[in-house]
Amino acid sequence: MRMYDNPVLGGFHPDPSVCRVGEDYYLVCSSFEYFPGVPLFHSRDLVHWRQIGNVLDRPAQLTLPDDVPASGGVYAPTIRHHDGRFYVITTNVSGGGNFVVTAERPEGPWSDPVWLDLPGIDPDLAWDEDGSCWCAVAGVQVARIDPLAGRVLEGPWPVWSGTGLQYPEAPHLYRIGGWWYLMIAEGGTAHGHGVSIARARSPRGPYEPAPVNPFLSHRSTDRPIQSTGHADLVEAADGTWWAMLLGTRPRGYHPYFHVLGRETFLTPVTWVDGWPQAGPVEERHPAPAAWHPQEPAPARDDFDAPVLAPGWISPRARPDGSWSLTDRPGRLTLTATGPTLDRPGHTFVGRRQQHPACRISARLDPGAVRAGLSVRMDEAHHYDLEVAGGEASVVARIGPLRQTVASHLVPPGPLTLTVDIRNDGLRPPTVTGPGPTPDEPTGTGAHGPDALAFSVTADGSAPVALATLDGRYLSTEVTGGFTGRVVGMYVTEGSAAFDWYTYEPAPAGTDTAGA
Ligand code: 6LW
């Protein structure tokens, strides 16, 4: 029996929405304060996904001024294909609200936003046989709209607010077999999260809840995957049904910490008496019949390509002049746009941490600048391996505290900066074994989700270990918010060139905190 591993899209890829066109599947996720926004993925089997772009990749589509808070910006999107055109609808909660963009081809170009005068978040799109377009939003309300003109034609009307839990949101309408099914998230996007479903003969209702709700929830269980919810249904090309949804992988000791944000999971769906049903989301499930592995993203980016790969993201903006692939061909040259990572308006180019255990390195040709490699949750929570004035230092910013925890003199010339993220043996004790282990990173007591070991290597020399820091302070439980860790290159003084960046997941089985 071929099995697949969950999550199918690791790292902060929350609020997944999926659609099928023939034998091809397309998936989008929310992106908050990051630019470019709304990452777009392609698959031919719902398991193996390759990022083919970002739906919002130019300022005309996405403007996130410095006053946009971390976890502000772009919330949950919905992707649908109708009448030969791709549609994405989402919300910029920091400016403009709900809007639609469209494209003929998934790679784009995607249109400029068509704004909709509709309240709420988590907008969805569904079409009736007569071509009417229905838009549901959190709450749950439904309106009939013209998505291309950005006009609300009727409504919105309140239709169903779930089974009584907080935050009825993430609505998706499906026209299936003479019924309109309305799937929503309830309970909030943390431990109480779940999915409920109802149906009606018209998008306007009245809706009858399913005989069994929640459709899916892991609330109050000790399952390794938690906070499961915000699901989108899809019928595969072979007629089987599946749900893409978000979940987390908390680690460490009570209250358990998740550092990768809300990730994208896949779970099988069956139909019983006219209602979809799903079992618990497991770390491994029997695979869909179709099986089309994709070329994995290369571990190393040498910045030889004429454009930056779609997985590179920056907080709020990546202004022209702050980055270049041509100033020094074969290198990514970054130029400072702000003096610190502690405040918005700085130069940072990073990628999502996608595995609990991994090693990330970047080769920096420093020169007379202040630059480095940073593990970021937001402006108030980041660990930096910084090079300036002939010294390599590890700087921890945790809330109101900023401290240089280690420094080491370095010779002039290129340096390799490395962060090794390990979580060996740090599994929640409810499932395996005792509490804290003796070799905890300094000063943590009940252990955190992982440890981040920073080192610097000069050419021809052995790596110098600088410091190992507790990962809990770069977890959502400490920082709050809707995102996860992003590990990136930055410059806060002058310009610096990065020769390459590598992202190496730890070999399977070393993530002892996992399966
Ligand atoms: C998303 C909504 C939610 O739009 O959080 O808590 C928002 N629930 O469904 C951001 O992920």
Side-chain angles (χ1 to χ4, degrees):
M1 165 76 66
R2 184 183 279 147
M3 307 290 281
Y4 68 85
D5 292 313
N6 260 325
V8 290
L9 207 43
F12 105 77
H13 291 107
D15 310 324
S17 176
V18 60
C19 71
R20 177 171 65 82
V21 183
E23 309 224 330
D24 295 287
Y25 302 93
Y26 299 96
L27 181 140
V28 289
C29 295
S30 44
S31 52
F32 306 97
E33 77 266 27
Y34 286 97
F35 182 92
V38 186
L40 173 63
F41 300 86
H42 170 253
S43 174
R44 288 181 60 78
D45 61 11
L46 291 170
V47 172
H48 303 94
W49 293 93
R50 185 171 64 85
Q51 187 169 0
I52 57 173
N54 296 279
V55 173
L56 309 175
D57 61 5
R58 55 185 193 276
Q61 295 173 305
L62 181 60
T63 304
L64 297 166
D66 285 357
D67 61 3
V68 170
S71 288
V74 178
Y75 275 29
T78 293
I79 187 168
R80 295 291 182 255
H81 187 260
H82 175 73
D83 234 2
R85 183 175 271 288
F86 287 91
Y87 291 76
V88 166
I89 186 168
T90 186
T91 317
N92 182 340
V93 297
S94 304
N98 292 307
F99 64 94
V100 176
V101 291
T102 64
E104 276 163 28
R105 293 178 313 107
E107 302 77 8
W110 288 80
S111 70
D112 283 349
V114 173
W115 298 96
L116 273 168
D117 180 15
L118 263 183
I121 58 169
D122 299 359
D124 172 66
L125 292 173
W127 282 265
D128 211 337
E129 287 86 358
D130 66 4
S132 298
C133 179
W134 299 94
C135 177
V137 290
V140 172
Q141 302 194 66
V142 166
R144 191 166 68 83
I145 67 168
D146 176 342
L148 297 177
R151 288 181 40 230
V152 177
L153 305 173
E154 287 181 279
W157 307 275
V159 291
W160 188 52
S161 56
T163 65
L165 302 181
Q166 62 170 353
Y167 303 127
E169 56 196 1
H172 286 304
L173 277 171
Y174 309 98
R175 184 92 177 98
I176 304 170
W179 289 99
W180 284 91
Y181 289 88
L182 174 57
M183 176 177 271
I184 70 168
E186 281 191 274
T189 196
H191 291 283
H193 215 188
V195 179
S196 303
I197 192 154
R199 71 183 184 187
R201 291 294 185 187
S202 150
R204 294 190 49 180
Y207 283 89
E208 59 164 323
V212 179
N213 268 321
F215 163 84
L216 184 158
S217 179
H218 284 190
R219 60 181 71 106
S220 310
T221 70
D222 70 348
R223 291 185 168 282
I225 299 168
Q226 284 291 324
S227 304
T228 45
H230 202 122
D232 197 5
L233 283 181
V234 61
E235 182 182 13
D238 65 358
T240 57
W241 283 83
W242 302 81
M244 312 295 306
L245 69 158
L246 74 81
T248 62
R249 292 183 280 175
R251 294 288 184 263
Y253 206 50
H254 180 78
Y256 319 123
F257 307 85
H258 73 285
V259 302
L260 301 178
R262 294 162 302 153
E263 310 175 271
T264 290
F265 293 77
L266 173 69
T267 199
V269 170
T270 53
W271 285 82
V272 179
D273 301 335
W275 291 97
Q277 291 195 350
V281 181
E282 307 288 359
E283 291 172 301
R284 310 201 79 208
H285 281 281
W291 191 253
H292 299 283
Q294 302 248 23
E295 197 55 42
R300 178 176 161 133
D301 193 328
D302 281 300
F303 306 118
D304 296 338
V307 292
L308 274 176
W312 292 111
I313 54 176
S314 300
R316 300 176 189 80
R318 193 186 293 149
D320 295 343
S322 70
W323 66 284
S324 168
L325 290 168
T326 52
D327 286 3
R328 294 184 59 183
R331 286 173 172 70
L332 173 63
T333 301
L334 298 181
T335 300
T337 51
T340 173
L341 297 185
D342 291 359
R343 289 191 302 280
H346 50 255
T347 299
F348 174 105
V349 175
R351 56 160 293 172
R352 297 162 172 87
Q353 180 187 340
Q354 294 190 270
H355 301 79
C358 54
R359 166 176 294 171
I360 297 139
S361 293
R363 184 169 159 78
L364 165 66
D365 196 346
V369 302
R370 182 175 298 278
L373 185 68
S374 177
V375 182
R376 174 190 195 271
M377 282 295 280
D378 59 29
E379 276 77 25
H381 302 89
H382 50 92
Y383 292 164
D384 315 331
L385 175 36
E386 183 157 289
V387 179
E391 270 196 320
S393 309
V394 173
V395 181
R397 170 72 200 266
I398 303 173
L401 309 174
R402 166 182 261 276
Q403 183 182 341
T404 299
V405 292
S407 277
H408 180 77
L409 292 177
V410 287
L415 296 167
T416 298
L417 312 180
T418 297
V419 56
D420 229 325
I421 302 176
R422 283 280 169 269
N423 59 1
D424 301 14
L426 299 180
R427 189 172 177 119
T430 54
V431 179
T432 62
T437 51
D439 57 358
E440 279 301 318
T442 47
T444 58
H447 57 63
D450 58 5
L452 293 83
F454 293 90
S455 60
V456 62
T457 313
D459 286 4
S461 313
V464 175
L466 294 171
T468 298
L469 299 179
D470 187 328
R472 86 185 68 201
Y473 303 107
L474 299 185
S475 74
T476 300
E477 284 71 18
V478 169
T479 67
F482 291 128
T483 62
R485 288 183 187 159
V486 175
V487 186
M489 301 156 284
Y490 72 91
V491 175
T492 50
E493 243 174 71
S495 287
F498 291 85
D499 190 358
W500 47 258
Y501 174 111
T502 59
Y503 177 95
E504 295 157 300
T510 53
D511 165 20
T512 53

